[in-house]
Amino acid sequence: MASSQTKGASPQETPAGGKTFFGHPRGLATLFMTEMWERFSFYGMRALLVVYLISGGPDADKDAQGGGLGMPEADAVAIYSVYMAMVYLLAMPGGWFGDRVWGPRKTVAIAASVIMAGHLTLAVPGEAMFFLGLVLVALGSGLMKANISTMVGQLYRGPQDPRRDGGFTVFYMGINLGAFFAPLVIGTVGQQYNWHLGFGLAAVGMGLGLIQFLIGSRHLDAQSSVVPTPLSAEERNSTLIKSLLWLVVAAVFYGVVTFTGNFTLNWALVPITLLGLVIPAAVLVRIKRDKELTAVEQTKVSGYIWFFVVAAIFWMIYDQGGSTMAAFAETKTAGEVFGIDFPSSWFQSLNPLFIMALAPVFAWLWLWLARSDREPTTTVKFALSLLMIGGSFFVFVVPMLMAADGAKASPMWLVSIYLIQTAGELCLSPVGLSVTTKMAPEKYASQMMGVWFLAVTAGDCITGLLSIGGVDLSGSAVVATEATMAVLAGAGVYAYRKKIIQLMGDVR
């Protein structure tokens, strides 16, 4: 049994006395470490992004080393939001490549290489190289996301395996371990020494993750190398021709706009944000109308739409922790605690720190409640996530008003906001990953993971459109409005919880 496992056979069954990873298949360790290093690179660059864009501008304090792009905060928030939307938007074609072209394992290896190239490009000075690097990192991250989560699910014996939710929780801890150290290392080097050296460190992190994945891939399920529904020769040619046509159309269009002197940043930002709203809706409609799905699968897709909408609202607010709140931390929050100065990027380590501290507590709480049959359903957990994310922005209003006269807000306000948001995330994100794998039609295994990440795209695109449209997301009135919307949506989901549970069928 052990020998076949090392050759790539399914590691779902662990032989007596065989090695495990915290009671889970050894393949989980490979995926845990790969995702940890990928998140180290991703969140390190994310911690620097908005601060780098606004540093040197009129609304920002001068950083220690200079060299930021000096953009207005509204433009920085819009770029950040569109970048995040691209990362999650590209998770859908990433899942498609895993399902139909390369298989999940090969797709992840290629994705890690592209991400590393993107960070190396960011390490080269120049605005053009900066945006090219963002595109490469987004492309690679999109290719990786759906496929690595799919491989986690493949380690277990179907949706009813009792270890499955725990496996996703352990995997989620890997994400946050990398995310915790990234701002402390990459953020410090980037903000206090050299921006591009910080971006270069992100490339080193992804390189380590790629090496670890290639070495440990023998412990993965053999299914991870299989292309579930490979393209036929005719489909491959058709897809290639259509892709090239769209590429030519885009190149000609933007070439004309640039040649006539009409190009502005919005020519790139607005189409992406609109696509980020249209594509998720179109994908869900296409899956829902697929006549090959069984009646049970159709019903589950209907139930899943509720979770998608909740997630989109949640991420719309949550992801502003790296944009609106990051800008507030840089320009309006005191960067000192107990006489110790620290860069504003360190605030980005709070969320993963709280997750690592609270995830075991939440896991224990759900099990404790389950013993007496009182564990909240998935629907109730999602409703709680909205109430918490809305509540966090109600708290955010207070330091915003305190800093309105130019005073610096205490960093403890941001600490409390990130703490509340973390509690909400633990009610939604690991639960959402698990419920997606459970409710996904077999035909759309990897693609449904892409659909889950499209909820982030939709949320970030709403934020991006608001910024592009001139809405001041750093205004207390707008923050209070977002908070109110989230709380009302959470109350609505709770009120309709019984209907949603019926749509979920046998999934709990």
Side-chain angles (χ1 to χ4, degrees):
M1 198 74 165
S3 62
S4 65
Q5 194 171 2
T6 59
K7 292 178 182 178
S10 173
Q12 295 172 354
E13 299 289 349
T14 303
K19 293 182 179 180
T20 65
F21 182 66
F22 296 108
H24 293 271
R26 288 188 65 187
L28 184 62
T30 296
L31 300 177
F32 175 95
M33 294 297 292
T34 303
E35 185 72 354
M36 183 192 75
W37 282 114
E38 189 273 333
R39 293 292 87 183
F40 176 84
S41 68
F42 179 85
Y43 280 100
M45 189 274 286
R46 177 182 180 267
L48 291 178
L49 182 54
V50 168
V51 182
Y52 173 69
L53 290 173
I54 67 174
S55 289
D59 299 326
D61 294 335
K62 288 288 184 181
D63 56 286
Q65 42 122 341
L69 296 185
M71 290 186 177
E73 183 178 322
D75 289 348
V77 170
I79 291 170
Y80 168 89
S81 299
V82 170
Y83 164 69
M84 293 295 290
M86 281 182 61
V87 168
Y88 293 95
L89 177 63
L90 291 168
M92 192 65 203
W96 181 86
F97 270 94
D99 278 344
R100 309 217 61 189
V101 182
W102 293 322
R105 188 183 303 189
K106 185 176 180 180
T107 304
V108 167
I110 293 172
S113 302
V114 174
I115 292 170
M116 185 169 63
H119 288 302
L120 289 173
T121 304
L122 286 169
V124 179
E127 189 170 324
M129 297 300 287
F130 174 79
F131 285 107
L132 175 60
L134 284 186
V135 171
L136 289 173
V137 174
L139 178 61
S141 298
L143 284 171
M144 178 173 288
K145 279 188 171 299
N147 290 286
I148 197 166
S149 296
T150 296
M151 287 193 288
V152 173
Q154 289 172 340
L155 295 172
Y156 301 97
R157 298 185 297 272
Q160 304 308 322
D161 190 322
R163 302 172 300 169
R164 190 183 186 92
D165 282 7
F168 273 101
T169 299
V170 172
F171 177 71
Y172 204 62
M173 292 292 284
I175 293 174
N176 289 283
L177 193 62
F180 169 71
F181 285 109
L184 302 180
V185 178
I186 296 174
T188 301
V189 172
Q191 261 188 286
Q192 298 193 339
Y193 297 97
N194 184 279
W195 294 113
H196 302 288
L197 179 58
F199 294 136
L201 282 178
V204 172
M206 189 66 263
L208 292 172
L210 175 60
I211 293 170
Q212 191 278 333
F213 178 77
L214 295 175
I215 293 174
S217 59
R218 66 185 185 277
H219 298 300
L220 300 177
D221 191 291
Q223 192 67 23
S224 66
S225 294
V226 175
V227 181
T229 53
L231 290 172
S232 65
E234 182 180 348
E235 288 175 318
R236 187 181 296 271
N237 292 335
S238 175
T239 301
L240 181 60
I241 292 172
K242 289 178 181 178
S243 300
L244 289 174
L245 284 175
W246 280 110
L247 182 62
V248 169
V249 169
V252 170
F253 176 79
Y254 281 102
V256 171
V257 172
T258 303
F259 182 75
T260 57
N262 294 315
F263 183 82
T264 64
L265 192 58
N266 284 350
W267 278 104
L269 299 181
V270 173
I272 294 174
T273 52
L274 292 177
L275 283 174
L277 295 174
V278 172
I279 289 177
V283 168
L284 285 170
V285 169
R286 179 175 62 83
I287 293 175
K288 175 65 179 160
R289 296 179 64 181
D290 190 335
K291 299 185 183 303
E292 294 183 8
L293 301 186
T294 66
V296 172
E297 289 177 326
Q298 290 276 4
T299 300
K300 288 181 179 179
V301 172
S302 297
Y304 186 76
I305 291 174
W306 282 84
F307 296 121
F308 180 90
V309 173
V310 170
I313 297 171
F314 179 90
W315 297 119
M316 179 190 73
I317 295 177
Y318 177 91
D319 268 355
Q320 290 182 60
S323 57
T324 306
M325 289 176 61
F328 186 86
E330 173 70 3
T331 60
K332 298 180 180 179
T333 303
E336 177 183 310
V337 174
F338 304 123
I340 302 174
D341 293 326
F342 61 93
S344 63
S345 57
W346 282 21
F347 282 107
Q348 300 302 310
S349 286
L350 288 172
N351 171 256
L353 174 64
F354 290 145
I355 284 180
M356 289 186 289
L358 294 179
V361 176
F362 272 70
W364 171 85
L365 177 63
W366 301 144
L367 288 174
W368 181 72
L369 291 172
R371 291 192 189 102
S372 56
D373 200 27
R374 291 184 296 161
E375 182 185 3
T377 63
T378 299
T379 307
V380 172
K381 291 176 183 177
F382 268 60
L384 284 172
S385 73
L386 285 181
L387 295 177
M388 290 181 187
I389 200 69
S392 75
F393 257 35
F394 277 128
V395 174
F396 190 23
V397 171
V398 178
M400 294 180 82
L401 293 175
M402 294 173 63
D405 61 355
K408 295 284 187 177
S410 167
M412 296 312 295
W413 283 107
L414 291 184
V415 172
S416 64
I417 294 167
Y418 282 117
L419 178 60
I420 298 169
Q421 291 185 347
T422 298
E425 183 183 0
L426 288 170
C427 289
L428 179 134
S429 194
V431 179
L433 284 170
S434 182
V435 80
T436 297
T437 62
K438 293 176 180 178
M439 296 181 70
E442 184 176 355
K443 180 179 178 181
Y444 296 102
S446 290
Q447 290 183 58
M448 280 297 283
M449 291 307 304
V451 170
W452 169 249
F453 293 122
L454 283 180
V456 187
T457 296
D460 282 323
C461 282
I462 293 172
T463 304
L465 281 176
L466 290 174
S467 297
I468 294 168
V471 176
D472 182 11
L473 293 173
S474 63
S476 57
V478 174
V479 169
T481 300
E482 291 181 82
T484 302
M485 179 187 69
V487 169
L488 291 176
V493 170
Y494 183 80
Y496 280 89
R497 65 190 184 281
K498 293 182 179 179
K499 178 180 179 180
I500 300 171
I501 290 172
Q502 290 177 347
L503 294 172
M504 293 172 67
D506 60 346
V507 176
R508 292 291 178 267

